[in-house]
Amino acid sequence: MSWFRREREPSRRPVEDVDLDSLLALVAESLGYFFEFARDGASVTLRGDREDGPGGSGALIVKLTGLRREAGRRAREDWPKLVSEHLAHAVATAGDWLDVCDIEQARPLMRTRVEAVDDVADLTRVVGRHLNADLVELLTVGGRVVRPEEAGCWPMAAGQALDLAAGNVRGERLRAESIGVSGTSVTRLTAESPSAATHLRWLDDYLAVPDDGALVVLPDPYTLLVHPVDGIGVVRAIERLRVHAARTDGLSPQVYWWHEGRLTLIKAEIVTRQGQIRLVVAPPPAFAQVLARLAV
């Protein structure tokens, strides 16, 4: 009497979620876990198969909301690595007191950290924004760089989270002092966390910034060296600061121009010929116009 048999109701879940769950199941098994997905797909519970196995006899709940959002932004060929890293990270941090996916826990601990772009192994595996082509401002929680799938758990866009983190950083005042760099007077601003460059947004909280902006050097993530662009003497300041930055071997060996909320590279190459050190400067067009006006 097969006509009384009800047809099995097809899955209403998107095929992408089904495929991602298949990958999650495969990776969980490879790690030695039994697994059970929540009915809404928002999490998967992992259980070890024996007391001394992964996770022991306890259960580990892994949130998947952020992972699903990140997978939706990535090509399918990236999914195996994405899933493997997500579960491996969840297992490695299972005993941590901080749940980064919990926005109430994460919000007061959000900060930024500025690093050289070349020092970040994979920019797709962090949450951040470029200060310029050389430097990137990364989002951290509790001192640890946030992964995209963790930020995907929050009810806000990544840009909003970075703004919130920057606001938290602003409350951590810098220490300001005047120093000399090869005879050039500069202001050194020192932070207690590796986010000194984030404070450029509020530079006029610490010194008088002329309309033409300021020269900036970043010896390390905790320090800013600042010189106002207030006269043709700025040309000599570029030379002194560039040589100083190259010697520190820190966050960046370059000199930058902070103006109207932008950090622009002042390209300056140190050339040594016959024992003489020369600086060849190729300023960006807007800064070249400032120099021409100051020279009059």
Side-chain angles (χ1 to χ4, degrees):
M1 301 197 29
S2 60
W3 56 86
F4 288 114
R5 187 181 305 151
R6 298 183 63 180
E7 293 293 330
R8 185 173 182 179
E9 186 175 338
S11 173
R12 296 179 181 177
R13 300 184 64 209
V15 65
E16 292 81 5
D17 282 355
V18 175
D19 291 346
L20 194 66
D21 286 355
S22 297
L23 275 173
L24 284 161
L26 185 64
V27 174
E29 288 180 340
S30 72
L31 293 173
Y33 284 96
F34 295 117
F35 58 89
E36 181 180 358
F37 289 96
R39 292 180 63 86
D40 61 1
S43 65
V44 60
T45 300
L46 306 181
R47 291 184 174 84
D49 58 355
R50 61 182 189 273
E51 290 287 337
D52 60 345
S57 59
L60 172 61
I61 299 176
V62 182
K63 296 179 180 178
L64 301 177
T65 302
L67 176 67
R68 295 192 191 283
R69 289 179 179 171
E70 181 63 14
R73 298 174 51 246
R74 304 283 288 271
R76 278 179 173 260
E77 53 263 32
D78 294 338
W79 286 13
K81 181 180 178 181
L82 185 66
V83 168
S84 295
E85 289 183 352
H86 186 68
L87 289 188
H89 179 73
V91 171
T93 59
D96 289 1
W97 63 271
L98 173 63
D99 179 4
V100 176
C101 275
D102 184 342
I103 186 61
E104 297 306 319
Q105 289 189 53
R107 188 191 304 271
L109 299 175
M110 289 181 182
R111 298 292 187 276
T112 58
R113 185 164 84 201
V114 177
E115 294 190 12
V117 169
D118 291 342
D119 291 339
V120 180
D122 186 352
L123 288 171
T124 68
R125 302 301 300 128
V126 296
V127 178
R129 56 190 170 195
H130 285 271
L131 292 178
N132 56 28
D134 304 324
L135 302 168
V136 63
E137 187 177 49
L138 303 179
L139 177 63
T140 69
V141 171
R144 182 173 62 77
V145 174
V146 174
R147 302 155 65 89
E149 58 269 28
E150 292 173 324
C153 295
W154 303 333
M156 65 179 71
Q160 185 180 353
L162 282 161
D163 288 341
L164 180 60
N168 290 343
V169 167
R170 187 177 189 180
E172 302 171 351
R173 295 282 298 177
L174 302 180
R175 184 175 72 254
E177 56 186 325
S178 296
I179 64 170
V181 175
S182 300
T184 296
S185 177
V186 302
T187 299
R188 179 166 62 193
L189 300 172
T190 307
E192 294 183 359
S193 60
S195 52
T198 296
H199 287 266
L200 284 170
R201 297 175 174 87
W202 316 290
L203 190 58
D204 53 6
D205 286 355
Y206 299 96
L207 69 155
V209 181
D211 291 342
D212 290 326
L215 302 179
V216 177
V217 167
L218 300 94
D220 58 68
Y222 296 82
T223 309
L224 297 173
L225 298 181
V226 183
H227 181 84
V229 179
D230 57 1
I232 196 59
V234 74
V235 175
R236 175 168 293 184
I238 292 173
E239 176 186 349
R240 304 289 172 80
L241 288 172
R242 177 66 174 88
V243 172
H244 177 79
R247 288 173 177 169
T248 58
D249 191 27
L251 183 59
S252 172
Q254 302 293 341
V255 178
Y256 299 94
W257 178 37
W258 178 255
H259 184 242
E260 296 183 346
R262 294 183 180 180
L263 191 64
T264 304
L265 171 67
I266 300 175
K267 189 174 182 180
E269 298 297 332
I270 299 174
V271 179
T272 303
R273 290 181 180 174
Q274 298 179 346
Q276 298 294 319
I277 297 177
R278 296 177 57 249
L279 193 70
V280 180
V281 180
F287 190 70
Q289 292 176 8
V290 171
L291 292 179
R293 175 165 45 78
L294 293 175
V296 175

